[in-house]
Amino acid sequence: LIATYEKEIKKLERSGDQQQMLEALRGEKKQARLDYIEKHSQAAFDACFDGVSRISSIVGAMREFAHPGESTKAAAGLHQALTATLTICRNEYSSVADVETDFADIPPVVCHIGDLKQVFLNLIVNAAHAIADAVEKRGSRGKIRVRTSTQGDQVRIAIEDTGIGIPRAVRERVFDPFFTTKDVGKGSGQGLAVARNVVVDQHGGSLTFESEEGKGTTFMVSLPIKPPDHAPIAPTG
Ligand SMILES: Nc1ncnc2c1ncn2[C@@H]1O[C@H](COP(=O)(O)OP(=O)(O)OP(=O)(O)O)[C@@H](O)[C@H]1O
Ligand SMILES: [Mg+2]
């Protein structure tokens, strides 16, 4: 619109007459510019604020994710760790899947939180890759659901995807070190082997899965709220 006004103004300037019309057009051009700014400025500011808040949440998540944690086990909130992990690897899933979280009121867990974040990261990235493969076939977006619950003296974290599923023939082998079905550079086959080591050997928990080919997979991490070797914390105050 503004370009059209400019063209008209130039034409009139060249012809050197109709001074009044020229002024009127100049006024309309100014108004058009103001209308344009008025119409679009709110959206531009919203996009800016959105970007800034996205950046600050990524920076916060990176701080949370990269926090070295304690060398001994300490009570930690798993929801914070899961939320930071989901933010960190957003890039892996955002183009193929939506994420849904269903967090129950679980207690803090005595654990090596840094190692558990690596476990969650691998499970979420695996889910994203399985969904990406399914999206190639089906075309529609998938879903990753992260749920937590308390089951007696354990907490359970379930990471569910609507990916391609794990074929029966390889179910026995997915936890083997170096077992991968991914292309070179995309997977090294270490993720689940390390995850099992962290969950089972370090924490006395369990890591299992259920899968249906073509439908999806759910990995379940169960962790004792207080591991058997945990000395009771002295009451304070
Ligand atoms: N959610 C899932 N859906 C379908 N297949 C899966 C899923 N999780 C794991 N797998 C299968 O198990 C294999 C081993 O997984 P693992 O995480 O150990 O290694 P990777 O993802 O291939 O590589 P890495 O994690 O070392 O980058 C995968 O290559 C894939 O075939
Ligand atoms: Mg993996």
Side-chain angles (χ1 to χ4, degrees):
L1 184 64
I2 288 168
T4 318
Y5 282 130
E6 265 164 0
K7 230 190 264 165
E8 286 302 310
I9 290 168
K10 284 235 169 71
K11 238 196 268 168
L12 287 168
E13 269 173 346
R14 269 201 300 274
S15 71
D17 55 4
Q18 301 188 7
Q19 192 58 31
Q20 249 183 343
M21 236 174 108
L22 187 59
E23 285 310 315
L25 265 174
R26 281 209 175 106
E28 276 189 54
K29 180 186 155 192
K30 210 181 267 172
Q31 190 55 44
R33 199 182 289 266
L34 285 176
D35 288 350
Y36 180 85
I37 292 170
E38 204 170 38
K39 190 167 162 209
H40 294 277
S41 61
Q42 192 56 45
F45 279 122
D46 286 350
C48 265
F49 289 134
D50 228 37
V52 169
S53 91
R54 172 86 51 86
I55 290 168
S56 84
S57 78
I58 290 172
V59 171
M62 279 168 83
R63 280 217 187 100
E64 161 70 30
F65 192 84
H67 195 278
E70 313 281 330
S71 57
T72 53
K73 289 192 181 102
L78 295 188
H79 292 161
Q80 210 176 328
L82 284 164
T83 306
T85 308
L86 283 167
T87 305
I88 289 291
C89 63
R90 193 176 179 278
N91 224 22
E92 294 282 344
Y93 59 77
S94 59
S95 61
V96 290
D98 299 311
V99 167
E100 204 178 285
T101 54
D102 184 2
F103 291 163
D105 187 17
I106 60 169
V109 169
V110 178
C111 63
H112 288 297
I113 193 67
D115 293 336
L116 286 180
K117 280 185 268 192
Q118 295 293 336
V119 171
F120 301 148
L121 179 68
N122 186 59
L123 297 178
I124 295 162
V125 171
N126 279 352
H129 286 168
I131 291 173
D133 288 348
V135 167
E136 254 177 48
K137 288 184 187 154
R138 294 186 215 131
S140 57
R141 282 170 74 77
K143 185 167 274 181
I144 300 175
R145 282 182 74 201
V146 182
R147 279 172 292 147
T148 60
S149 57
T150 308
Q151 322 245 317
D153 55 2
Q154 306 237 322
V155 295
R156 179 188 270 194
I157 303 99
I159 296 173
E160 182 183 338
D161 68 63
T162 57
I164 48 169
I166 304 179
R168 236 163 242 290
V170 304
R171 282 187 197 170
E172 299 277 294
R173 292 158 63 206
V174 291
F175 291 106
D176 293 350
F178 301 110
F179 176 80
T180 183
T181 55
K182 296 174 189 173
D183 293 340
V184 179
K186 201 175 178 198
S188 64
Q190 294 299 301
L192 287 177
V194 171
R196 179 170 261 188
N197 180 282
V198 169
V199 173
V200 178
D201 302 342
Q202 270 189 35
H203 291 87
S206 69
L207 176 61
T208 55
F209 68 87
E210 283 163 10
S211 188
E212 200 177 328
E213 258 181 273
K215 284 259 164 76
T217 306
T218 304
F219 272 85
M220 269 104 39
V221 178
S222 288
L223 296 163
I225 294 164
K226 288 187 175 64
D229 63 353
H230 182 69
I233 300 166
T236 53

